[in-house]
Amino acid sequence: SSHQNYDTLVQERAAHTLQNAVQGCNQLTGSIDLDTDSTLMLSVAYSTGWKAYVDGKPTEILVADTGFMGIDLEAGHHDIELRYQTPGLLFGFAVTGCGCIILCILAVILYKNSKKRDPRLS
C-alpha cells in the first residue's frame, strides 16, 4: 500500500539526516553517516555570513531550493559545523574604532587651542 511506501521513504530519509544536531546562537553542529555521495539540505536561510566546515575543513555552501543551504558530501561519516558572522561586522568595528580615535584627537586639539586663546582655562 502507499502507506507502507510512505513509512519506508520516511525511514530511509531519517537515516540520512544530521544527527546530534546542536544549534547555538550563531552556530549549528552535528554529524551524518552516508552510504553514497549526497547533498545535505538545511532548512536554514542562505546568507553569505555562514561558513561551513566538514570534518574541520572549510567547504562550499550551495544555494539550495532557491534560498536555503546545501553542502555536498562524500559517502561516509562526517562532522558538520556551520558558523555565522554578520557580513561587514569586523569592518564596521574597525571604522567605528578609527572614528572614536579621530574624535578624541580632535577634542584634545580643540581643548589646547581654546586654552591658548583664553588663559582663564589654564
Side-chain angles (χ1 to χ4, degrees):
S1 77
S2 64
H3 184 64
Q4 282 180 319
N5 289 341
Y6 177 78
D7 287 342
T8 302
L9 284 173
V10 169
Q11 289 175 356
E12 286 174 1
R13 297 222 172 143
H16 297 101
T17 60
L18 196 62
Q19 302 296 312
N20 306 315
V22 177
Q23 184 173 359
C25 183
N26 293 319
Q27 184 173 325
L28 173 65
T29 60
S31 60
I32 191 166
D33 292 294
L34 300 169
D35 298 333
T36 61
D37 295 357
S38 301
T39 300
L40 174 63
M41 305 291 287
L42 299 158
S43 59
V44 176
Y46 178 85
S47 170
T48 56
W50 283 104
K51 303 291 182 225
Y53 302 87
V54 176
D55 301 326
K57 298 175 186 161
T59 192
E60 179 183 7
I61 298 176
L62 308 170
V63 179
D65 198 22
T66 69
F68 295 102
M69 296 191 300
I71 301 172
D72 284 337
L73 299 169
E74 295 178 355
H77 176 83
H78 299 288
D79 293 316
I80 309 296
E81 180 179 4
L82 289 112
R83 296 183 211 146
Y84 184 79
Q85 182 176 25
T86 303
L89 184 64
L90 294 177
F91 178 74
F93 282 148
V95 169
T96 300
C98 289
C100 289
I101 290 169
I102 290 170
L103 182 63
C104 290
I105 291 169
L106 287 174
V108 168
I109 291 170
L110 290 173
Y111 178 73
K112 286 184 176 188
N113 283 341
S114 66
K115 279 179 40 173
K116 288 179 185 175
R117 280 184 265 159
D118 188 351
R120 291 178 291 161
L121 294 176
S122 298

